[in-house]
Amino acid sequence: MPGLRQSSMVSVVRRYYAYRATLTNGFYLPVSVIYMEAQGLGLAEIGFVQGVFLFGMVAGELPTGYLADYLGRRRTLALGNAVTATVMAGFVFASSTAAFTALFLLWAVAWTLRSGTSDAWLYELLAEAGLDDEFARLSGRAESALLVVSAGAALTAGVLYTVDPALPFVANAVTAGLGLPILFTLPRTGEVRDDEPTMTVRRAVSLLRSQFTRPSIGWLVVYAALFNVVFSVTRVFEQPALREVGVPVAGLGVVYAGFKLVSAAATGAAGAVQDRLGTRGVMLSLIPIFGVLYASFAVVPLLLVPAVFVRRAVSQLVRPVRNEYLNDRLDDVGRATVLSGVSMVLSLASGTANVLGGRVAEGIGPVSFLAATGVAVSVAAGVLWLLTSPVRDEPTPASPSPVESAEQSPNAGEP
């Protein structure tokens, strides 16, 4: 796809936005926890199945990242949409912890098929057109498109649920299926060329080891994993926490629509915020924001409501900034494998927190649990920042070692 004209690029990017919109979980998310509770699951069981989902992502990230580098991005993304549609349809029939566990494991596979691959596709498309510095801005806009669609879906989720609890899941299955025809209008990127070696598991592990031991990448991943714990446990336990502070079940759809709209605005502003603060400033700001935010509703529980709005906005804004930082330090060969490895680390941290946090949340209440988690993570992240400087200026990928060079083609840099 070298030499892609400007008019063609605009068309392709718009179709990419449309594809990203089909990844919405807006119908599912506002009613997911209350649906599982209605099927007899408690907070401990819900934390367990959500943890299983994240551990499934840990197990699936490396092989699906390898698959994306081997098969190409577009085919891998299509497989992810197909599996997602199947999982959403399966929720209609699930009625036990075992059934939900199986569905969340399968959904983890679908998620990992898209996690690093979608970003790798977009970055490579832009890089081939000489526009890789536009990644954060365009990735943010794509996420905004997804969030706006999710907001509309969330507004209808509560209504659909009251008509029939199965309807939100059917709607999400249909939406995921709509992504398939859109995907096959997009150009291919990341295809294996005849002069490149086949990506093997051994080579993938070697690439991950070489990248994660680079301080500019390794410490950033650890820092991001800490805040991913806050993002994840809040997402899992915010529905019971919101009910604890007085938000009715009927109002959850409206609240989640608000989440999506606020997040869309924040994500669309990712490029502008990065230009203003820089990557270092964006990442450092997480410490005071979450320290103060989560301490506030420990004192005044009603402040949980604005806190969860801010949590959504900040996490969506940070994602494209973090991913551009990582992409700038990676080469094309094996890019999806390394990005999937990063997602694997983040998922491991989040899954552990969800499994352990479920029983703690049942014991002390979800509001107290979330407040304590946010403050503890902010303190730990502050110490890590002082000791390691997670964000470092290293704008180009590191050169491969002689051993790594022997495993790669002469034209392939270490990703």
Side-chain angles (χ1 to χ4, degrees):
M1 196 187 55
L4 195 66
R5 293 190 301 271
Q6 185 70 23
S7 59
S8 298
M9 175 64 78
V10 171
S11 174
V12 169
V13 169
R14 285 175 177 171
R15 277 177 274 144
Y16 176 71
Y17 292 169
Y19 157 69
R20 286 292 300 272
T22 68
L23 303 183
T24 179
N25 58 8
F27 294 105
Y28 154 87
L29 193 59
V31 297
S32 57
V33 173
I34 60 174
Y35 181 79
M36 286 188 280
E37 286 182 319
Q39 304 305 312
L41 278 66
L43 288 183
E45 287 76 23
I46 292 170
F48 172 78
V49 298
Q50 294 276 6
V52 165
F53 167 76
L54 292 166
F55 289 135
M57 288 180 65
V58 171
E61 283 289 1
L62 186 56
T64 54
Y66 155 78
L67 187 67
D69 283 325
Y70 183 73
L71 293 179
R73 318 300 188 216
R74 195 177 63 173
R75 294 173 185 169
T76 305
L77 293 173
L79 184 59
N81 271 52
V83 176
T84 298
T86 302
V87 169
M88 286 296 159
F91 271 102
V92 175
F93 307 101
S95 59
S96 67
T97 301
F100 282 111
T101 299
L103 284 172
F104 273 93
L105 278 172
L106 187 58
W107 197 9
V109 174
W111 201 275
T112 56
L113 285 165
R114 305 187 314 243
S115 60
T117 308
S118 178
D119 284 333
W121 181 90
L122 179 61
Y123 191 87
E124 288 163 10
L125 176 82
L126 296 172
E128 290 178 14
L131 298 170
D132 45 302
D133 58 345
E134 291 289 297
F135 175 83
R137 184 175 67 86
L138 295 179
S139 177
R141 287 185 176 180
E143 192 69 16
S144 292
L146 168 60
L147 291 167
V148 168
V149 171
S150 296
L155 283 173
T156 66
V159 176
L160 292 174
Y161 188 84
T162 56
V163 174
D164 187 331
L167 286 179
F169 305 98
V170 173
N172 246 136
V174 171
T175 305
L178 291 175
L180 295 173
I182 298 173
L183 269 172
F184 288 108
T185 70
L186 297 176
R188 296 179 179 181
T189 71
E191 302 297 323
V192 176
R193 301 191 302 265
D194 292 338
D195 62 343
E196 290 178 351
T198 301
M199 178 66 72
T200 64
V201 173
R202 178 173 176 268
R203 182 164 177 258
V205 172
S206 175
L207 292 173
L208 286 175
R209 183 171 60 247
S210 68
Q211 293 302 316
F212 281 16
T213 53
R214 291 167 57 189
S216 61
I217 291 181
W219 287 120
L220 186 279
V221 172
V222 174
Y223 183 81
L226 284 172
F227 284 101
N228 225 54
V229 166
V230 179
F231 298 159
S232 182
V233 297
T234 303
R235 187 169 191 141
V236 172
F237 300 111
E238 65 192 0
Q239 288 182 27
L242 286 167
R243 283 185 294 164
E244 184 178 316
V245 300
V247 177
V249 172
L252 289 177
V254 176
V255 170
Y256 273 78
F259 286 166
K260 300 299 183 182
L261 292 175
V262 168
S263 297
T267 305
V273 172
Q274 184 185 35
D275 289 342
R276 175 95 179 193
L277 299 180
T279 301
R280 182 184 299 274
V282 171
M283 301 307 291
L284 179 59
S285 69
L286 297 179
I287 297 170
I289 287 173
F290 284 96
V292 173
L293 199 64
Y294 280 66
S296 69
F297 62 79
V299 179
V300 182
L302 274 177
L303 291 176
L304 171 73
V305 177
V308 292
F309 275 90
V310 174
R311 196 287 298 179
R312 294 282 175 139
V314 171
S315 64
Q316 293 296 334
L317 186 150
V318 165
R319 179 179 175 273
V321 174
R322 181 194 70 212
N323 286 351
E324 181 174 296
Y325 173 91
L326 292 171
N327 270 299
D328 284 345
R329 287 151 180 80
L330 303 174
D331 281 334
D332 287 346
V333 178
R335 181 187 305 278
T337 299
V338 177
L339 293 178
S340 289
V342 173
S343 294
M344 184 169 61
V345 174
L346 301 184
S347 298
L348 181 61
S350 299
T352 302
N354 287 345
V355 170
L356 298 178
R359 296 197 179 278
V360 178
E362 278 193 334
I364 67 174
V367 174
S368 297
F369 168 70
L370 292 180
T373 301
V375 172
V377 163
S378 296
V379 171
V383 173
L384 181 69
W385 188 280
L386 291 174
L387 295 178
T388 68
S389 298
V391 178
R392 305 186 182 201
D393 295 328
E394 186 187 329
T396 57
S399 299
S401 69
V403 173
E404 291 160 350
S405 297
E407 295 178 347
Q408 299 175 22
S409 71
N411 298 324
E414 59 112 1

